[in-house]
Amino acid sequence: MALYENQNLKIYNSLTGEKELFTPITPGYVGMYVCGPTVYSNVHLGNCRTFISFDLVFRYLKHLGYKVRYVRNITDAGHLENDAETGEDRIAKKARLMEIEPMEVVQKYTVDFHDTLKKFNNLPPSIEPTATGHIIEQIEIIKTLIDKGFAYEANGSVYFDVLKYNQAHHYGILSKRKLEDLIANTRELDGQSDKKNPQDFALWKKAEPQHIMRWPSPWGTGFPGWHLECTAMSTKYLGDTFDIHGGGMDLKFPHHECEIAQGHATTGKAPVHYWMHANMLTLNGKKMAKSTGNNILPTEIFSGNNHVLSKAYAPSVARFFMLQATYGSVLDFSDEALMAAEKGFLKLMDAIALLPKLETKNTSSLDINAWKQSCYDAMNDDFNSPILIAKLFEAVKYINAIANNKASITETDKAALKETLHNFTFDVLGLEATEALNDNSKDRKRLENTIALLIELRNKARLDRDYAMSDKIRDALSDMDIQLKDAREGTTFSL
């Protein structure tokens, strides 16, 4: 029996604004699509948070026993500057500035994207399609939309008719916007005269002579609209209707709203059952932006070569920090927060390493089965990783209590605890032990040597009957969460 048969997973659905019991379209199988990067620059930390969030979802669904097809695309054409309808293609602009081919830009930053996510220990998706590899599918969808009266050609471009669609459906259903408000707030843009209505969006754009990336179509040489690409790739690999669609909160409108309209207009079906959106990451309380200098790249975190952080942090520490907040909440990135996360992360790893060495007894002080279910309950509540982490630290406290002879555990419960800790720490949260421990080994060795010296000074104070100094050293270490344990064999410590 698969684990999912005994667990009630609830997902916050952005479409309905409620947590809903997850029921896949096909029992035992899950289709999930997540909007991938536009590969024109190094992947930024906010993007990484989104992909780590959906890696958590992917990992937990797999842990529950579902067969998951996870599709995450690469946008390598059609995404114009400022997410606009006109202007330069982001990749083509970078190619012009670097004086290289657009596909060289794509290759360079796709490799960077993969390398960075690998450092964060993200699992690769099941399928990673590219927009340029699915031009034919996009053209076929456009033909269908024109035939059904939901799209029209104008001067070599093709637009989606939002007003026509809204007569039978609700354009704005995901973002909770009203079309009349959108019409009132629409800015006048260059090329707007080609559209019937200002809020119509491009399915295919005519390529001007200076536009580098271009393909033939029934409407002339051009390039696909950004919104259409995801509709073509998601439905090709997951079907007209699939289980989960994810992405960053900034994509909810207009990108995901347009995907819903295109999909529904093409097939007559709502394309997605559960819409999930990861929230933004701020840096020192402010929005990340290259223009203001309030920005940091993942590689700069790992190397320590930046003006924001006091030291380098291992990828697993940064991942652990991000998972200490729910995916739907705003998370502030700072040196102090990372330092605290590193401390907690190492405590967790220490406890996991200590567990196999513990002696067992005939009784257990903790109901392992109830604790184990509480870990599942946390993840079943819309992938609530911070609550799961709190539950893992209940186990850390228990392990340390056993080590200090203040609690006990049976051999059977020890095996169950070890397995559960491994499953949730490494398989579900995707943390890596050796990497962070190795990266922090020098600092850790210095700390251990310092504590050893203080223990030696304390032992001398005790021999000299200077109990005030002995207590002062013990209490000062305790205030720093460093616990000393006096035994016949000598004094040991735990962090």
Side-chain angles (χ1 to χ4, degrees):
M1 180 181 289
L3 282 171
Y4 64 76
E5 295 182 46
N6 293 321
Q7 303 296 332
N8 293 318
L9 171 62
K10 288 188 175 180
I11 296 177
Y12 179 81
N13 190 346
S14 297
L15 190 66
T16 61
E18 295 179 358
K19 286 182 186 177
E20 300 175 358
L21 185 66
F22 178 62
T23 306
I25 296 166
T26 304
Y29 293 81
V30 178
M32 180 169 79
Y33 184 88
V34 174
C35 291
T38 300
V39 282
Y40 71 102
S41 64
N42 296 106
V43 62
H44 64 75
L45 202 58
N47 284 148
C48 289
R49 187 199 180 188
T50 295
F51 300 127
I52 287 170
S53 295
F54 287 103
D55 184 61
L56 176 72
V57 173
F58 183 35
R59 284 173 174 275
Y60 188 58
L61 291 171
K62 283 165 66 72
H63 173 74
L64 289 180
Y66 286 110
K67 186 171 183 180
V68 186
R69 178 175 288 177
Y70 174 19
V71 182
R72 187 187 66 213
N73 74 297
I74 295 288
T75 297
D76 56 355
H79 194 175
L80 306 187
E81 288 184 281
N82 303 313
D83 301 343
E85 289 279 299
T86 59
E88 202 167 1
D89 184 290
R90 293 182 177 193
I91 292 165
K93 180 179 180 180
K94 193 61 171 276
R96 178 172 57 77
L97 294 172
M98 294 176 71
E99 297 182 335
I100 59 175
E101 284 289 327
M103 284 301 131
E104 288 183 70
V105 173
V106 168
Q107 178 69 8
K108 175 182 172 65
Y109 294 113
T110 299
V111 169
D112 168 73
F113 173 65
H114 289 153
D115 287 348
T116 302
L117 290 195
K118 190 174 182 181
K119 287 186 175 73
F120 277 120
N121 199 32
N122 274 27
L123 298 174
S126 315
I127 303 172
E128 192 173 53
T130 63
T132 56
H134 295 77
I135 299 293
I136 292 171
E137 288 83 356
Q138 293 169 71
I139 288 172
E140 290 304 310
I141 291 174
I142 295 171
K143 288 179 181 177
T144 300
L145 289 171
I146 291 173
D147 290 345
K148 291 191 171 187
F150 289 110
Y152 57 91
E153 187 269 338
N155 192 28
S157 295
V158 182
Y159 296 96
F160 186 88
D161 193 332
V162 171
L163 264 64
K164 176 72 179 293
Y165 173 79
N166 200 60
Q167 291 172 3
H169 309 288
H170 178 193
Y171 182 78
I173 190 171
L174 179 65
S175 57
K176 310 297 184 284
R177 303 182 187 212
K178 294 181 179 179
L179 185 56
E180 50 267 32
D181 295 335
L182 295 173
I183 293 171
N185 294 324
T186 300
R187 294 176 300 160
E188 285 299 320
L189 300 171
D190 291 337
Q192 196 92 300
S193 58
D194 286 342
K195 301 180 183 182
K196 288 182 181 178
N197 313 291
Q199 61 284 339
D200 292 350
F201 57 88
L203 299 170
W204 187 265
K205 285 289 290 181
K206 177 183 178 180
E208 299 303 327
Q210 69 273 18
H211 200 97
I212 308 172
M213 304 177 80
R214 53 206 294 139
W215 291 265
S217 81
W219 314 284
T221 302
F223 56 94
W226 173 40
H227 310 311
L228 181 64
E229 295 171 351
C230 284
T231 293
M233 289 182 278
S234 62
T235 56
K236 178 178 174 68
Y237 298 108
L238 299 174
D240 292 343
T241 303
F242 53 94
D243 297 299
I244 298 171
H245 193 314
M249 196 76 76
D250 57 320
L251 297 180
K252 186 183 287 188
F253 186 88
H255 188 54
H256 290 163
E257 198 73 72
C258 293
E259 281 190 63
I260 290 175
Q262 291 164 164
H264 209 156
T266 302
T267 67
K269 305 172 188 174
V272 179
H273 280 196
Y274 303 87
W275 283 90
M276 297 179 66
H277 290 93
N279 217 322
M280 64 186 288
L281 195 65
T282 57
L283 180 61
N284 294 321
K286 298 177 182 176
K287 184 178 179 181
M288 287 195 193
K290 290 181 184 177
S291 57
T292 62
N294 195 52
N295 186 58
I296 187 169
L297 292 173
T299 52
E300 295 172 337
I301 298 168
F302 311 151
S303 68
N305 184 22
N306 62 80
H307 65 281
V308 177
L309 305 176
S310 61
K311 52 171 281 188
Y313 292 95
S316 265
V317 170
R319 182 184 177 101
F320 181 67
F321 163 71
M322 292 191 209
L323 294 173
Q324 287 180 311
T326 57
Y327 72 87
S329 61
V330 175
L331 177 62
D332 188 52
F333 199 87
S334 70
D335 193 40
E336 294 79 10
L338 272 177
M339 216 171 278
E342 182 180 63
K343 186 177 178 182
F345 175 74
L346 292 172
K347 270 189 177 181
L348 176 60
M349 295 303 151
D350 281 345
I352 291 172
L354 178 61
L355 180 57
K357 303 170 188 175
L358 298 178
E359 292 183 8
T360 58
K361 296 186 178 179
N362 294 327
T363 58
S364 290
S365 307
L366 179 71
D367 184 338
I368 300 297
N369 289 330
W371 170 79
K372 179 179 178 179
Q373 185 55 49
S374 73
C375 293
Y376 280 103
D377 291 343
M379 287 301 291
N380 290 339
D381 182 20
D382 193 33
F383 310 97
N384 198 322
S385 54
I387 297 297
L388 171 61
I389 290 169
K391 295 299 176 183
L392 297 181
F393 274 95
E394 287 180 9
V396 169
K397 188 177 179 181
Y398 178 47
I399 290 166
N400 290 332
I402 297 169
N404 293 319
N405 294 319
K406 294 180 180 178
S408 60
I409 191 168
T410 66
E411 190 66 40
T412 302
D413 281 354
K414 179 180 170 182
L417 180 59
K418 181 181 177 183
E419 181 185 23
T420 306
L421 272 173
H422 185 280
N423 286 343
F424 281 103
T425 302
F426 304 120
D427 295 346
V428 175
L429 293 179
L431 302 176
E432 290 186 294
T434 54
E435 171 208 15
L437 292 173
N438 289 339
D439 284 359
N440 290 277
S441 59
K442 288 183 181 178
D443 290 341
R444 196 172 181 78
K445 194 65 180 174
R446 291 191 194 103
L447 176 61
E448 289 172 351
N449 289 340
T450 303
I451 296 170
L453 177 61
L454 289 170
I455 289 173
E456 188 179 320
L457 293 172
R458 178 172 175 266
N459 288 341
K460 186 177 185 306
R462 292 168 77 187
L463 284 171
D464 295 341
R465 297 182 182 276
D466 187 355
Y467 298 117
M469 178 56 70
S470 170
D471 290 346
K472 185 177 181 180
I473 292 171
R474 182 199 62 208
D475 293 344
L477 289 172
S478 179
D479 288 343
M480 292 182 279
D481 289 336
I482 300 169
Q483 307 300 322
L484 298 185
K485 181 187 175 186
D486 295 317
R488 186 177 299 174
E489 300 80 15
T491 302
T492 57
F493 69 90
S494 61
L495 297 172

